[in-house]
Amino acid sequence: MITVRVPAKVNVQLGVGGLRADGFHDLANVFFAVALGDEVTASDSSEGITLSCSGPDADAVPLDDSNLAARAARLLAAHHGIADPGVHLHIAKAIPVAGGMAGGSADGAAALVACDALWKLDTPFETLLELAAELGSDVPFALLGGVALGRGRGEILEPLAAEGTFHWVFAVADGGLSTPAVFRECDRLRDEAGTGSADSDVPTPDADPALLAALADGDAVALAAALTNDLQTAALSLRPALAATLRAGTEAGALGALVSGSGPTCAFLAKDADGAAAVAAALRASGTCRTAHATYGPVPGAAVVA
Ligand code: ATP
C-alpha cells in the first residue's frame, strides 16, 4: 500500500491572455503550493482500476472513469504497456472540489506517483511531468510543488525562488464554479467592455517582477500588494457573494485577498501563523463562507508519505 500526499495550489498571479484559435488562453500563471492537500492511497486490486473517496466533499467527486486519479493510473499503465492494470485508489479529500485550487489535478499527480511506486516502475520524473501535462494544464505543477511560473496553458513550468514560509487562509464557498464557464465569462466581459477577447486584442501576459521579488525576498506585505487574478472579475460576476467573503477576510486583518484561480474559493495572505488563525476564525464567524482553513506554503509536490 502506497500513500501519496499532494498539495493544492493558489495562483498568486493569474494573467490571462486572449482566446487562442485552439480554444485555450495564454497564461502567465504563478503557482504556489500550500499544505492544504489530499492524500491518495494506492493498493493492489484484481478488479482493474477502482476508486473510493472520503472527506466532507466526497459526494461531489466522480468515482467513474472521468476521475483524474483513474485517468492518471490508466495513462501510466498505457505508457508502460501494462495491458490489464489493477489498483484501488482511495482519495482522502481535503481540497475543496471545483474550488479553483486544482484538487482534481492534484489527485491525478498523486495517482501517477502512487501507481509508479506500487507497480515499481521507476518512471523518470521528466516522463511523469510529460504524462501529467497530457492529463491537464494544472497537473504538472502538483508534481513539482513549491512556486513556479506556468506559461502556455500553464503546463510549461519554470521553478521560482521563494524565501521562507507564507501564511494563507482559504475560505471555502458552498458549491463550485466551472473553470471553462469562468474563462467564457472573462471573454464575455472583455467583449462587453469593448477591449476584445481574441489573442490579437489582449497583450500577452507576463510575470510581474514586483511579485517575483516579493516571493524571493519572503516579503508577505509586498506579495500581498502584488496579488492579481485576471479571472477574479469573471468569478465575481458569476458569484457576486464572493465580494462579501473578500471583504470579511480583509476587515479581519488579511494583508491581501484574491479569488483562487477560477474560484469560488477565496485566498487571504496573512502576516504570520497567528494572523492566519485569526483571519480563519473571523471568516468562519462571518457567515460569508462554508468554512475557512489556515495553512502555509510553499510545500513540495506529490510525494510518497514515509
Ligand atoms: P482547477 O483549479 O484546476 O480549475 P478546480 O479546483 O476548480 O480545478 P477540481 O476540484 O479539480 O476543480 O474539480 C473540477 C471538476 O473535476 C469536478 O467538478 C469533478 O467533476 C472533476 N474531477 C475529476 N477528478 C476529480 C478529483 N479527483 N477530485 C475532484 N474533482 C474531480
Side-chain angles (χ1 to χ4, degrees), residues 9 11 38 60-62 66-69 91 93 95-105 107-108 138 177 179 260-263:
K9 61 85 183 164
N11 306 91
D38 288 350
V61 176
S66 71
N67 192 298
L68 270 160
I91 303 168
K93 190 110 200 120
I95 305 174
V97 176
M101 297 190 74
S105 301
D107 298 342
D138 287 350
L177 270 177
T179 303
S260 177
S262 53

Side-chain angles (χ1 to χ4, degrees), residues 101-215:
M101 297 190 74
S105 301
D107 298 342
L112 283 177
V113 173
C115 292
D116 187 59
L118 184 75
W119 296 333
K120 300 188 170 58
L121 297 170
D122 233 350
T123 311
F125 188 67
E126 282 305 313
T127 308
L128 288 180
L129 281 174
E130 284 165 24
L131 295 174
E134 274 184 54
L135 288 168
S137 310
D138 287 350
V139 187
F141 177 71
L143 280 181
L144 194 68
V147 184
L149 173 61
R151 292 178 182 280
R153 290 182 283 119
E155 82 290 8
I156 307 160
L157 288 177
E158 176 194 330
L160 294 174
E163 175 67 30
T165 295
F166 294 87
H167 295 272
W168 290 94
V169 177
F170 292 94
V172 182
D174 273 323
L177 270 177
S178 148
T179 303
V182 176
F183 273 99
R184 275 196 303 275
E185 181 67 358
C186 175
D187 294 336
R188 191 190 71 76
L189 291 170
R190 284 172 172 175
D191 286 334
E192 195 178 72
T195 49
S197 59
D199 66 353
S200 52
D201 301 323
V202 183
T204 304
D206 209 348
D208 171 9
L211 179 118
L212 301 187
L215 288 165

